[in-house]
Amino acid sequence: MLELFLNKPKQMELRSMEALPALKDDEVKIRLVYGGICGSDLSVFLGKLTHASYPLRPGHELLGHIIEAGKNVPYELGTRIIVQPNSYCGECVNCLNGQTNICPEKKSLGVTVNGGFSEQFIISSKYVMPVPDDLPDERAVLVEPFAVIVHAFKKVHITKGTTVAVLGCGNEGMLAVALAHYLGADVTAMDINPIKLELIKTLGDIRVIHPDELKGETFDIVVEAAGAQSAFENGLRLVRPGGQMILIGLTPEATIPVIRVVRSEITLYGSIIYNIPDDFQHAMEYLRDTNFNVQPIVSKIIPFTDYKHAFEDALSGNYGKVLLDFKKNPV
């Protein structure tokens, strides 16, 4: 069996795995189908996440099948599953309040512990969820990243005619544009990359624009998905009085004009990952609707053995989601 392994930033290799241990009673062994490359994977690869641990196996957007199960696992062999890649203790105040996403004991696959970019891996059944039969693989693999947007959008009310601006059209930004459009909003997508803006147009009747071209306009809701200081500061200027801003991008720091936030009664929402199982379930409900257009978001599917090509494409910023295909080398 093979796995991708990151010895240190920018030094990834394809190597043979050590034999997997015997399963614990609550664990499952997964044969991977697809693994999605996301922004945090790229940040770990580049060494830009200060809390990442090396060496480690990357990967957290994972779709596969159960091929072995411990005696206390409630799923049958062959069940198609997605992985919830963030652990939680279940006992702290946050967990007991349903906020597993901010558990202080949280560990993240592919960031602080070994991820799932391997032909087979073992995980507690607590962190897997069955996929409905009518949800194709290419949409099912989007459940984890899309749950981030589902969780964020629960903080605001978006309906027909709501004006929404999305700053940054990476994977999460594209998913935010797709969901806001699906909910009936008048969406303006902004990015500095014209290739990304052309890709956004394939999601529907969506206005696209370079951030510098927007003058004097404000929006009911602004979604900051770029994770850059300039995007945050520009986005705050775009919120109408009484409006709301959702912060998804991990901007290290920025200047906040507090007096404008106060006088205009602007509400800022920080949003990190998702809560389990609700946000995953709601994400799957959206994705099961064939009228919800997310097909253009998956730009490339590349055999995992060609991982160098896949990561180069993802790092270029010129594509939507790049998937690693683990079916090309059947175990």
Side-chain angles (χ1 to χ4, degrees):
M1 293 186 296
L2 299 174
E3 67 176 355
L4 296 183
F5 201 75
L6 192 60
N7 293 294
K8 62 182 182 178
K10 300 182 182 180
Q11 289 194 10
M12 189 182 294
E13 64 175 328
L14 181 67
R15 71 179 196 179
S16 296
M17 294 177 60
E18 296 181 359
L20 294 174
L23 293 183
K24 297 178 182 178
D25 290 347
D26 70 327
E27 290 182 331
V28 290
K29 182 185 291 184
I30 305 299
R31 175 178 290 146
L32 201 60
V33 174
Y34 286 139
I37 300 175
C38 92
S40 61
D41 294 313
L42 300 179
S43 293
V44 172
F45 175 77
L46 295 172
K48 291 184 175 181
L49 280 190
T50 57
H51 63 287
S53 300
Y54 304 92
L56 87 165
R57 184 172 63 224
H60 66 275
E61 296 180 6
L62 308 168
L63 172 74
H65 295 270
I66 295 175
I67 58 172
E68 189 177 338
K71 66 179 183 180
N72 294 336
V73 172
Y75 307 120
E76 297 181 357
L77 297 186
T79 299
R80 188 169 56 125
I81 58 88
I82 49 173
V83 172
Q84 193 289 99
N86 298 282
S87 66
Y88 53 92
C89 71
E91 299 176 354
C92 68
V93 171
N94 294 332
C95 286
L96 294 176
N97 286 335
Q99 295 173 297
T100 57
N101 59 325
I102 51 175
C103 173
E105 301 299 320
K106 178 178 70 177
K107 294 181 174 62
S108 300
L109 295 185
V111 180
T112 56
V113 295
N114 276 336
F117 281 173
S118 57
E119 292 183 291
Q120 295 182 12
F121 63 96
I122 291 172
I123 192 169
S124 169
S125 59
K126 172 183 178 181
Y127 298 113
V128 304
M129 185 176 295
V131 176
D133 291 340
D134 61 352
L135 188 56
D137 288 345
E138 289 74 20
R139 292 172 76 92
V141 74
L142 295 175
V143 168
E144 192 275 343
F146 182 47
V148 173
I149 302 303
V150 170
H151 177 76
F153 276 27
K154 288 181 178 179
K155 301 177 186 298
V156 296
H157 181 63
I158 298 176
T159 187
K160 184 175 176 59
T162 304
T163 57
V164 176
V166 178
L167 281 70
C169 295
N171 292 168
E172 294 296 351
M174 292 182 70
L175 289 165
V177 168
L179 182 56
H181 177 66
Y182 177 79
L183 294 173
D186 294 331
V187 185
T188 297
M190 302 181 212
D191 201 281
I192 60 175
N193 185 344
I195 296 175
K196 278 291 181 68
L197 296 181
E198 288 301 312
L199 185 56
I200 286 291
K201 290 179 182 179
T202 65
L203 292 173
D205 182 17
I206 295 159
R207 176 192 183 197
V208 300
I209 193 169
H210 189 286
D212 293 342
E213 298 174 2
L214 197 65
K215 305 297 182 183
E217 191 171 347
T218 58
F219 301 84
D220 298 325
I221 296 169
V222 173
V223 181
E224 198 293 296
Q229 179 177 345
S230 59
F232 170 82
E233 293 174 354
N234 184 43
L236 197 51
R237 289 191 289 268
L238 298 177
V239 184
R240 69 161 176 81
Q244 301 160 307
M245 185 173 183
I246 309 173
L247 309 178
I248 297 171
L250 298 176
T251 305
E253 60 182 25
T255 300
I256 299 176
V258 176
I259 194 168
R260 179 169 186 270
V261 173
V262 173
R263 286 182 170 172
S264 297
E265 290 203 344
I266 293 171
T267 304
L268 303 179
Y269 290 105
S271 187
I272 189 71
I273 58 170
Y274 31 68
N275 289 321
I276 300 301
D278 290 355
D279 293 329
F280 268 43
Q281 291 171 340
H282 293 152
M284 283 192 279
E285 289 171 10
Y286 283 121
L287 289 166
R288 291 173 72 183
D289 185 350
T290 57
N291 292 317
F292 179 35
N293 183 20
V294 293
Q295 284 85 343
I297 292 176
V298 175
S299 291
K300 285 196 169 187
I301 301 176
I302 298 174
F304 78 98
T305 50
D306 195 12
Y307 67 94
K308 291 181 181 179
H309 179 198
F311 270 77
E312 286 172 1
D313 284 346
L315 284 165
S316 75
N318 293 330
Y319 299 95
K321 177 66 65 181
V322 176
L323 300 181
L324 294 171
D325 188 345
F326 286 81
K327 304 190 304 298
K328 298 298 183 182
N329 271 16
V331 178

